[in-house]
Amino acid sequence: MAKHILIFGPPGAGKGTFSSQILKVFPEINHISTGDIFRENLKNQTPLGLKAKDYMDKGELVPDSLTNELVKDKLETNVGKLWLLDGYPRNLKQAGFLDEITNIDLFLLLEVSRDIITKRILGRYSCKSCGAIYNKYTLPPKKEGICDNCGAEIKFEQRSDDNEETLKNRLDAYEKNAKPIIKYYKKKKLLKKVNAENTLELTGDQIKSILEI
Ligand code: AMP
């Protein structure tokens, strides 16, 4: 079983949804999402959040100097534990840095076309009470207006970077950097592809077989 997992794919590929499915099957895995950490810092107006804000608003990558330190700190607090790193590395320098500080067992690539991504991202929202993710086109709550996860009346919250212009920049940034990263992990024989064209709803057995290495 993979102990240190990277989850990779364009914005809107379903990394968050897929990660939460993995965590349901393996609750002992720690989910570390650099995007979530930055958003949390931004919400709390920490020095890190304030430094990252402009980059995030434009859909650009936050400088490696900030991001690498954040990841290093997180991994240091998770030594000896199972983890799933989501949103990192985003370029080859970050991949090299990661190799200096830890070892990776599995690189999961979620594959999905640009058309589908656009629909997913522009329709994406979350429940303000518990953070459960929905989509007005592809993943509405079972009962309109009520959160499947916490049962609260949904107060919609949309990520501030889920808008058309920022999305274009985020997709361009992804496409520019993705190929060399995928090649890097393929060469290390860590690459496993997951078809993410449809909303990912995998069974426990399917997830187990993906994480078996
Ligand atoms: P995400 O939720 O992964 O799409 O990340 C949201 C935003 O956080 C990105 O558009 C970047 O501005 C920033 N970010 C997240 N992860 C990284 C990373 N590994 N390197 C640089 N910036 C990042």
Side-chain angles (χ1 to χ4, degrees):
M1 152 98 185
K3 288 196 169 74
H4 296 165
I5 303 162
L6 301 180
I7 185 157
F8 190 82
K15 298 188 290 290
T17 311
F18 190 42
S19 300
S20 47
Q21 290 185 23
I22 292 179
L23 262 59
K24 271 195 191 142
V25 182
F26 295 104
E28 66 274 34
I29 295 182
N30 294 285
H31 180 220
I32 303 168
S33 155
T34 47
D36 284 352
I37 298 172
F38 279 130
R39 276 185 289 281
E40 189 63 30
N41 276 276
L42 196 56
K43 203 167 138 192
N44 297 329
Q45 306 258 303
T46 67
L48 175 68
L50 295 175
K51 281 185 203 153
K53 183 181 185 319
D54 280 353
Y55 301 99
M56 293 177 76
D57 284 348
K58 289 191 216 138
E60 290 170 6
L61 292 182
V62 176
D64 289 348
S65 51
L66 289 177
T67 314
N68 289 351
E69 275 317 298
L70 174 157
V71 168
K72 189 166 177 245
D73 283 354
K74 265 283 161 195
L75 295 188
E76 273 168 7
T77 59
N78 280 286
V79 169
K81 298 184 185 159
L82 307 185
W83 47 254
L84 173 73
L85 186 53
D86 169 355
Y88 188 99
R90 292 278 242 277
N91 59 40
L92 269 188
K93 282 205 174 131
Q94 292 183 1
F97 180 75
L98 196 58
D99 274 346
E100 284 170 24
I101 59 171
T102 188
N103 67 303
I104 302 299
D105 301 311
L106 181 63
F107 177 86
L108 285 179
L109 170 64
L110 303 193
E111 292 190 303
V112 57
S113 68
R114 197 160 168 145
D115 263 11
I116 291 185
I117 290 170
T118 306
K119 213 171 178 184
R120 274 192 198 159
I121 290 217
L122 299 180
R124 175 159 79 177
Y125 63 92
S126 61
C127 166
K128 208 169 179 176
S129 309
C130 73
I133 300 166
Y134 296 99
N135 188 290
K136 70 176 172 196
Y137 305 111
T138 57
L139 190 66
K142 290 193 180 79
K143 198 169 164 202
E144 204 188 318
I146 304 292
C147 179
D148 296 346
N149 190 47
C150 71
E153 202 172 302
I154 298 182
K155 292 201 176 64
F156 298 102
E157 190 164 54
Q158 206 171 17
R159 275 174 49 166
S160 63
D161 58 352
D162 280 355
N163 63 68
E164 234 161 307
E165 194 184 326
T166 308
L167 175 60
K168 187 186 171 301
N169 291 339
R170 286 158 68 204
L171 286 173
D172 289 348
Y174 173 78
E175 278 164 16
K176 179 168 162 257
N177 292 309
K179 270 196 189 141
I181 296 181
I182 297 166
K183 209 169 148 192
Y184 183 82
Y185 287 104
K186 189 174 178 195
K187 208 167 158 199
K188 287 173 171 286
K189 302 203 185 331
L190 298 175
L191 170 67
K192 203 174 252 189
K193 293 180 182 175
V194 178
N195 180 341
E197 286 282 304
N198 300 312
T199 305
L200 282 164
E201 274 195 44
L202 303 177
T203 63
D205 282 346
Q206 283 171 317
I207 291 190
K208 281 180 192 160
S209 93
I210 290 173
L211 300 198
E212 283 314 324
I213 46 169

